[in-house]
Amino acid sequence: MDDQKELEKLVDGFFESDQLDSPSMNFTNSVLEKVGHERAARISYAPLLPKWVWFSVGLVCILITGLVITSGSPDDSEPLYMDYLKSSSSFVSNLFGQLELSNIMGYVAVAVGIMICFQASILTRNFNRRLAQ
Amino acid sequence: MQGNQPNIKAIIAGDSHEFSKLVDQYKNVVFTVALRMLKNREEAEEVAQDTFVKVFKSLKRFKGDSKLSTWIYRIAYNTCLDRLKKNNREKQNISVDEMEGFEIKSMDNALEHMVSSERADLIKSCVQKLSPKDAALLTLFYFEEKNLNELGSILDMNGNAVKVGLFRARGRLANILKQHLEPEIIRNYG
């Protein structure tokens, strides 16, 4: 225990005469310069379409859908959109009627879809973080 | 922040003058730690500069959980470790031999009779031979952080590990010192 104290005293005394080293004179300026370069090189991320454009597109879609649903002559017993639905469903059934998918194929398609969604969210978060740095 | 302390909010807003104040305040400790860990002046300067660039980039994430100095020294220490890993230069520690009390006293006497410039040179060459982690531990302890928990937070260790690390680092330094001091000096002054 005494040896420990002696050792501590020795090293304490040793470091009493020690001094901090100084970097070169233009150290601070070099750091500021590097920081300036970093700022200039930083990629500024902006979405291709601003939010208001997305809102406008959404609004237009809603209006068109509303128009289609409510349009048609007042005498008709069925609204006009029912014709569209009928014709579109017969087209889909004609097109995919002969197509036979196994259960496994269906599971694979669902799994791949989930994987893509999952990876897309992770990649988006990762790129956002990298751009924020 | 008041007085000479750098204003963190102003730095985040892009105030270069405040940031240069922060650099000036911490550059000597950061550079000394880097120099003693990397053992090369040019490399230490480069790593110290990189440390401050990292500080600038991540200052907005500084929550104030620890002291600003602790946070900056942790970045400096990790940047040095990264550089050492990159260069594969993680030096192994030398063994700690048990030292007798009379040996310690002899070295103490020999040191007391040294001219201060001679002693400063001796310190530099002894610290140069320490492993990067020991060098960082002793430098930060003696120049900045006497609080073992804060020191542990810089070096990613708990308080007890810091205490043990300090004891071992002192022992290794004393061994190096013993090798440096000429045996006749120890005999003369011991």
Side-chain angles (χ1 to χ4, degrees):
Chain A
M1 204 63 187
D2 281 348
D3 285 357
Q4 260 190 49
K5 287 243 168 78
E6 288 290 335
L7 181 66
E8 203 175 320
K9 207 180 120 205
L10 172 81
V11 178
D12 287 356
F14 190 64
F15 272 93
E16 259 173 33
S17 328
D18 195 12
Q19 282 177 344
L20 285 173
D21 291 280
S22 302
S24 62
M25 294 290 282
N26 64 342
F27 181 87
T28 307
N29 287 337
S30 303
V31 172
L32 292 179
E33 211 172 290
K34 276 191 178 183
V35 165
H37 285 308
E38 282 283 331
R39 265 195 210 149
R42 197 175 289 175
I43 305 163
S44 55
Y45 171 73
L48 284 174
L49 294 174
K51 268 185 186 169
W52 66 267
V53 174
W54 286 112
F55 280 123
S56 311
V57 169
L59 198 67
V60 168
C61 285
I62 291 166
L63 284 176
I64 289 172
T65 316
L67 204 67
V68 167
I69 291 171
T70 53
S71 65
S73 59
D75 307 330
D76 292 342
S77 54
E78 274 187 341
L80 192 62
Y81 67 88
M82 283 308 287
D83 293 337
Y84 289 122
L85 284 177
K86 275 174 189 166
S87 60
S88 63
S89 62
S90 65
F91 171 74
V92 171
S93 57
N94 287 340
L95 190 68
F96 294 104
Q98 293 128 358
L99 195 68
E100 282 182 22
L101 282 177
S102 68
N103 279 349
I104 293 172
M105 200 64 180
Y107 297 145
V108 168
V110 170
V112 168
I114 290 171
M115 218 165 69
I116 288 170
C117 290
F118 185 62
Q119 284 190 350
S121 67
I122 287 179
L123 283 174
T124 311
R125 208 186 314 160
N126 183 38
F127 280 119
N128 280 341
R129 201 183 301 153
R130 279 176 64 182
L131 285 168
Q133 279 176 354
Chain B
M1 295 275 174
Q2 288 175 349
N4 235 10
Q5 288 294 308
N7 184 338
I8 294 174
K9 276 184 188 163
I11 296 172
I12 293 169
D15 189 335
S16 308
H17 176 70
E18 282 299 319
F19 184 60
S20 67
K21 222 154 96 174
L22 179 143
V23 175
D24 285 337
Q25 193 171 333
Y26 296 106
K27 68 180 178 186
N28 286 347
V29 178
V30 168
F31 176 70
T32 305
V33 171
L35 181 60
R36 291 179 179 189
M37 285 182 79
L38 302 168
K39 330 280 186 204
N40 177 299
R41 213 175 166 83
E42 283 74 34
E43 216 175 355
E45 179 130 350
E46 201 182 307
V47 167
Q49 286 181 4
D50 287 350
T51 300
F52 285 109
V53 173
K54 281 184 188 173
V55 166
F56 180 82
K57 277 160 72 178
S58 42
L59 201 56
K60 55 178 173 281
R61 289 202 292 271
F62 173 64
K63 298 274 187 287
D65 303 335
S66 60
K67 289 199 289 184
L68 181 65
S69 59
T70 304
W71 184 71
I72 292 174
Y73 300 148
R74 186 165 56 221
I75 293 176
Y77 178 72
N78 288 334
T79 310
C80 290
L81 285 185
D82 287 346
R83 178 61 68 103
L84 288 166
K85 259 183 214 157
K86 195 176 143 196
N87 298 343
N88 268 331
R89 285 197 288 127
E90 280 179 289
K91 203 174 149 190
Q92 292 302 309
N93 273 327
I94 55 164
S95 62
V96 192
D97 297 329
E98 280 289 315
M99 211 172 274
E100 300 292 334
F102 75 90
E103 285 181 299
I104 297 169
K105 275 199 177 123
S106 305
M107 285 195 285
D108 209 5
N109 285 338
L111 281 172
E112 265 179 31
H113 287 84
M114 274 182 151
V115 186
S116 64
S117 62
E118 215 178 359
R119 200 160 43 193
D121 289 343
L122 180 68
I123 293 169
K124 283 201 173 28
S125 53
C126 287
V127 174
Q128 183 85 2
K129 293 211 165 134
L130 281 173
S131 74
K133 284 181 183 174
D134 281 350
L137 183 59
L138 288 174
T139 305
L140 285 167
F141 178 76
Y142 283 104
F143 282 118
E144 271 301 304
E145 203 53 78
K146 302 280 183 189
N147 180 325
L148 297 185
N149 288 331
E150 292 276 350
L151 196 53
S153 152
I154 297 171
L155 307 171
D156 196 20
M157 298 158 96
N158 65 39
N160 279 335
V162 171
K163 207 171 168 182
V164 174
L166 267 174
F167 171 68
R168 288 187 180 154
R170 282 191 187 109
R172 288 186 197 106
L173 185 66
N175 269 321
I176 296 167
L177 191 60
K178 194 173 126 189
Q179 286 161 20
H180 266 72
L181 289 170
E182 294 289 321
E184 51 267 24
I185 298 176
I186 295 177
R187 252 200 316 275
N188 285 344
Y189 296 111

